[in-house]
Amino acid sequence: MLDKPILRLTVTRLVGPTAPVVAPQWLTGHLWSQARADDRLEHVRVRVAPGRIGVALFLLAAEETGARLSARSICARALGASDELRDWRLAE
């Protein structure tokens, strides 16, 4: 039997330059624009500070691993689709 999807919180960090900082509202919208239907994204929360960005994504997923993979995929697509984020990368 397949597990029923539940809302799962994933927390991801982006690291980058200390001087340029992106607007949290812009990044929230950008992450939404990179999400696909099969990511099952429900909510986005972003905190921006010099050199780091905290990204909290709430996704519907049956397993924690699937939620983490979707969250990292959304962030990776967002990084690759924006000049504003060209010097940023996913933290390990």
Side-chain angles (χ1 to χ4, degrees):
M1 183 173 144
L2 295 175
D3 290 334
K4 182 178 177 180
I6 62 171
L7 193 61
R8 297 187 184 269
L9 167 64
T10 64
V11 178
T12 305
R13 251 184 341 119
L14 306 177
V15 292
T18 57
V21 177
V22 298
Q25 301 87 342
W26 174 85
L27 184 52
T28 298
H30 184 59
L31 289 163
W32 271 109
S33 74
Q34 297 306 310
R36 299 176 181 157
D38 62 343
D39 291 322
R40 302 186 72 183
L41 181 62
E42 293 288 317
H43 182 73
V44 177
R45 176 85 172 146
V46 173
R47 282 215 166 154
V48 175
R52 68 176 190 258
I53 299 172
V55 178
L57 301 175
F58 291 84
L59 304 109
L60 283 175
E63 298 178 359
E64 188 67 32
T65 301
R68 280 195 307 268
L69 288 173
S70 288
R72 289 186 68 83
S73 293
I74 293 167
C75 289
R77 288 192 297 269
L79 289 170
S82 169
D83 285 340
E84 290 87 343
L85 299 172
R86 70 180 163 272
D87 295 327
W88 292 84
R89 63 180 172 78
L90 281 163
E92 295 303 319

